[in-house]
Amino acid sequence: MSTSGISGTSASPVTPSRTGDTSFTGAAEPYAGGDPYADYRRAPSSCSSFTRLPDLADRRLGASVIAASDEFFAERENLIEPGPARFDPGHFGHKGKVMDGWETRRRRGTCAERPHPTDEDHDWALIRLGVPGVVHGIVVDTAHFRGNHPQAVSVEATALPGSPSPQDLLAADVPWTPLVPRTPVGGHAANGFPVECRQRFTHLRLNQHPDGGIARLRVHGEAAPDPVWLAALGTFDLAALENGGHVEDASDRFFSSPANSIHPGRSRKMDDGWETRRRRDTGHDWVRYRLTGHCVPRAVEIDTGCYKGNAAGWAALSVLDATTGADPADHTTGWSELLPRTRLQPDTVHRFPLAGAPTATHVRIDIFPDGGIARLRVHGSLTEEGAARLRR
């Protein structure tokens, strides 16, 4: 909730910040009615190199905002909700304007002679990533926080085993690595920050200086699972995002991302899978996945859940072993057919045992001619070589 940001004097014009056009500074204009996203400052094209990667802080992957220094106006859990922040201009509560984000109270100084917060004063939130991984970019989204956004933000990360408590994470001996230095941000904007550090992390600390509201936090990167856990499992889903599976490329992303097809659990609604536009030619659509590592597939599942009139008509699966030097991006060479073109039923889990499948590092699903696939599961186990590479 917030008591500001709905009306007031006109704000100064906003301009991109100095960080390579990946973030903004300054307040946005007060809300004037109509579409609240009409004047929203979206992440520039320079952020597309990382925004196509999965959001490792997605609640659907098991992420959680486990603690915050303050959440007086709006709850910290909103930070990692899927989908864009919502805004209802007429929705007020007993603390003020109800906002879809994390918003802290206004910080004050120590006395009347010193009414302003110090330069060190700030609020923070601890985020457990749903999938540990390597972060390539972060979006701090201040949608609808027009004049009550933080002046600046910073982001740090750490890697701890198991399920550490907030007290564990805040201990003096925990090393935190800066991912985003303290940087000015703009209100009602998708403030994007590329990250150069290529370490594996499990938790983030989001700081806002000195206070304010943030609608959403997106942490884009590549999953890096715990090799000890995968070794204990033995056989697991080699394509799953949580196990290190990764969408390398796809023919079409029009209605929804192909990365949805390797999310945990079953799809609950149509936009929770991968769906392509309707083809008006004689081609077909496909997705290419990088598996956890060098492996032997043993069974596959193709799930068309929630796709009833728009499921893919047929599907075929192929695998490739990149350790032979074959190029996964070349779809004409090095691929072995795992499942021939097979008829699919709408809203159905199709299961196919595999006998004598070759070793693989990649799998490609081809759908004919177009449509939707909710989930792809590739069950199998790592080879000794694959397990050794994962431990490095």
Side-chain angles (χ1 to χ4, degrees):
M1 302 179 187
S2 170
T3 57
S4 62
I6 281 296
S7 61
T9 58
S10 178
S12 301
V14 294
T15 56
S17 77
R18 82 285 180 275
T19 53
D21 140 274
T22 55
S23 63
F24 305 92
T25 56
E29 295 290 336
Y31 176 63
D35 178 7
Y37 275 104
D39 60 341
Y40 174 67
R41 294 174 285 176
R42 302 183 185 279
S45 58
S46 55
C47 293
S48 62
S49 62
F50 64 79
T51 52
R52 279 196 172 187
L53 295 173
D55 177 11
L56 303 179
D58 192 327
R59 181 178 297 282
R60 294 169 296 182
L61 299 178
S64 178
V65 185
I66 62 175
S69 59
D70 185 278
E71 49 185 331
F72 184 84
F73 286 119
E75 294 80 7
R76 65 182 190 263
E77 289 87 356
N78 292 330
L79 276 173
I80 58 172
E81 282 296 310
R86 300 170 297 278
F87 181 72
D88 180 351
H91 190 189
F92 285 80
H94 65 281
K95 292 182 179 179
K97 180 72 189 72
V98 175
M99 297 294 287
D100 183 10
W102 169 49
E103 187 180 6
T104 66
R105 72 192 78 201
R106 300 186 187 213
R107 283 183 169 267
R108 301 300 189 214
T110 57
C111 61
E113 290 72 27
R114 297 180 179 85
H116 302 291
T118 70
D119 191 57
E120 291 75 29
D121 287 342
H122 69 280
D123 287 311
W124 52 264
L126 294 177
I127 297 96
R128 182 188 68 236
L129 297 179
V131 178
V134 178
V135 179
H136 287 245
I138 292 172
V139 176
V140 178
D141 186 352
T142 57
H144 316 304
F145 291 100
R146 294 169 173 269
N148 50 349
H149 60 287
Q151 182 182 30
V153 300
S154 59
V155 183
E156 304 160 279
T158 191
L160 291 184
S163 304
S165 68
Q167 292 74 24
D168 295 330
L169 290 162
L170 295 172
D173 60 346
V174 172
W176 288 91
T177 300
L179 299 187
V180 178
R182 182 169 174 170
T183 306
V185 293
H188 198 45
N191 300 276
F193 304 96
V195 173
E196 302 301 327
C197 180
R198 290 296 179 259
Q199 299 178 39
R200 176 184 183 271
F201 296 111
T202 60
H203 294 76
L204 264 59
R205 181 162 60 193
L206 170 64
N207 305 302
Q208 52 175 329
H209 308 268
D211 53 37
I214 297 171
R216 297 288 190 267
L217 175 71
R218 305 303 187 206
V219 184
H220 298 282
E222 295 185 78
D226 180 359
V228 176
W229 174 248
L230 295 184
L233 292 177
T235 296
F236 55 89
D237 181 2
L238 297 153
L241 176 59
E242 60 190 317
N243 295 331
H246 178 69
V247 171
E248 285 195 337
D249 201 2
S251 61
D252 188 282
R253 304 166 186 260
F254 189 84
F255 286 115
S256 49
S257 170
N260 291 344
S261 63
I262 54 175
H263 273 196
R266 291 209 66 200
S267 174
R268 296 187 177 184
K269 51 193 176 77
M270 200 163 64
D271 66 351
D272 193 23
W274 169 57
E275 184 185 3
T276 71
R277 74 191 81 195
R278 299 189 188 211
R279 278 193 169 267
R280 303 306 188 195
D281 57 22
T282 58
H284 73 280
D285 288 313
W286 52 267
V287 182
R288 186 176 75 246
Y289 305 86
R290 186 181 70 232
L291 302 175
T292 304
H294 195 251
C295 63
V296 178
R298 305 188 189 284
V300 297
E301 296 181 35
I302 302 174
D303 183 359
T304 57
C306 301
Y307 293 115
K308 298 178 179 179
N310 52 350
W314 293 262
L317 284 175
S318 303
V319 293
L320 175 140
D321 187 346
T323 65
T324 65
D327 180 7
D330 180 358
H331 287 188
T332 65
T333 305
W335 291 89
S336 301
E337 186 177 78
L338 202 62
L339 180 72
R341 192 179 303 190
T342 302
R343 188 75 168 95
L344 299 180
Q345 300 300 319
D347 198 26
T348 300
V349 178
H350 308 78
R351 294 190 171 100
F352 305 99
L354 303 174
T359 58
T361 57
H362 292 72
V363 66
R364 189 183 75 239
I365 185 167
D366 295 273
I367 62 171
F368 303 88
D370 54 29
I373 294 290
R375 296 289 187 269
L376 175 69
R377 308 295 189 206
V378 181
H379 302 287
S381 56
L382 294 173
T383 63
E384 290 186 8
E385 177 185 353
R389 284 176 177 265
L390 203 62
R391 289 192 296 268
R392 292 175 188 169

